[in-house]
Amino acid sequence: MITDISIQETYGDLFNKAYNITPLMGLMMFMMFSGAYTLEYSSNMAGLIKTTKNGKREIVFAKSVAAGVSASIINLSIFLAMWLSALKSHKFAGLDLPLKDFWYFGKSGSDITVLQMILIMLVTIIIGSFFFAQVGLFLSAISKSAAVPFIFGGILMGLPYMLETPLGFIGLQKYLSFTPLWGMMSCQLIRYKTPIIALIMLIAIFTAGIVLLPKVTLKAFSKEQ
C-alpha cells in the first residue's frame, strides 16, 4: 500500500542520495576530461593543429561542447535513473508535494514542489556539467598531464562535499552555497535557504566559467612552446 508517509520518506531519501552521488559524478567526469589534450601533445599533433589559424580554434570549441554534452549526459543519466525508478514505483504520485514536507528540506520551509525541484535540478545539473567540463579542459590544456585535471578538478568539486559535515558542526555549512558543486546540485541551495547574494555569485561563476574558460583554454593550447 502506498501512503503519503512512504512517498515522503522515499523522495526525501532520493534528494539526499542525489547529492551524495556527486563524488561518483565527479570521478566519471574528470576521468573523461583529464586526457582531453594529452593525446594531441603526446602525438605531436598539437604542433600541426597550431599551424592552422582556424583549426586550433575549432578543435577547442568542439572539445568544449563535446565535453559539456558528455558530462551532462552522464550526470543526468545517473540522476534520472534514480528518480524514474522511485517515481515509477509510486506511480508518479506526490509530485505536487511541497519540499517543506520532506525531512531533507525540513528547515527550509520551501513551498517549491517535488516536480519543480526536479526540473530546476535538471537545468542546474546541465549548467554545472558544462562548467566543470570547461575547468577540466582548461587544466588539461595548461598541464599536458592527465593527472593534474583529475586531481585539481576533483578537489574543486569534491572539497565542498567533504567539508559539509565538519562545517556543519560549527554551523558554517551554509557558506558552501557559494561553491559550484552546490550550484549544480541546487537542492542544497533550497535546503539551506541560500541568500540571494550566493545565487548572484553562482550565476557570475558559471557564466565566467562557461564563457571565458574556453577562451583561456584556446590561448593556452595555442601558446608557442
Side-chain angles (χ1 to χ4, degrees):
M1 178 178 178
I2 297 173
T3 66
D4 285 346
I5 294 178
S6 65
I7 289 175
Q8 290 167 346
E9 290 178 348
T10 300
Y11 292 172
D13 285 341
L14 272 174
F15 280 113
N16 184 42
K17 290 176 180 177
Y19 177 64
N20 287 330
I21 204 71
T22 51
L24 175 61
M25 290 179 175
L27 180 65
M28 296 177 69
M29 279 197 299
F30 283 101
M31 284 180 66
M32 180 172 60
F33 307 145
S34 59
Y37 286 96
T38 304
L39 183 61
E40 278 80 1
Y41 290 132
S42 61
S43 63
N44 295 320
M45 285 297 294
L48 179 61
I49 295 172
K50 291 175 184 178
T51 61
T52 61
K53 181 178 179 181
N54 294 323
K56 57 189 178 186
R57 187 184 303 277
E58 290 177 356
I59 194 170
V60 170
F61 176 75
K63 283 180 180 288
S64 297
V65 175
V69 172
S70 300
S72 298
I73 291 174
I74 290 174
N75 293 332
L76 289 177
S77 298
I78 296 173
F79 180 77
L80 288 175
M82 294 173 55
W83 270 98
L84 289 177
S85 176
L87 291 174
K88 186 178 178 181
S89 67
H90 286 295
K91 299 180 180 180
F92 292 86
L95 290 173
D96 58 341
L97 292 173
L99 298 183
K100 62 186 178 184
D101 287 352
F102 299 89
W103 67 266
Y104 190 72
F105 299 96
K107 296 180 180 178
S108 71
S110 175
D111 289 321
I112 294 176
T113 66
V114 174
L115 179 59
Q116 290 171 335
M117 189 71 254
I118 292 174
L119 294 177
I120 291 172
M121 289 190 70
L122 292 178
V123 174
T124 57
I125 286 174
I126 293 174
I127 294 173
S129 298
F130 267 85
F131 172 81
F132 285 114
Q134 306 319 311
V135 171
L137 293 177
F138 169 68
L139 292 172
S140 180
I142 63 173
S143 66
K144 301 181 182 181
S145 166
V148 173
F150 187 79
I151 294 172
F152 287 95
I155 290 174
L156 175 64
M157 186 169 179
L159 196 58
Y161 179 84
M162 292 186 291
L163 288 177
E164 182 179 355
T165 298
L167 288 180
F169 287 130
I170 53 178
L172 297 179
Q173 72 270 41
K174 63 182 179 181
Y175 291 104
L176 296 174
S177 301
F178 294 88
T179 64
L181 175 65
W182 280 32
M184 184 174 82
M185 304 307 291
S186 49
C187 59
Q188 291 291 100
L189 304 180
I190 302 300
R191 183 184 186 189
Y192 290 101
K193 294 193 289 187
T194 295
I196 189 66
I197 184 64
L199 297 179
I200 294 172
M201 287 193 64
L202 284 173
I203 292 173
I205 291 171
F206 282 139
T207 301
I210 294 173
V211 175
L212 298 180
L213 276 178
K215 296 181 180 180
V216 182
T217 300
L218 173 63
K219 186 176 181 180
F221 182 66
S222 304
K223 184 179 180 181
E224 297 295 338
Q225 302 298 316

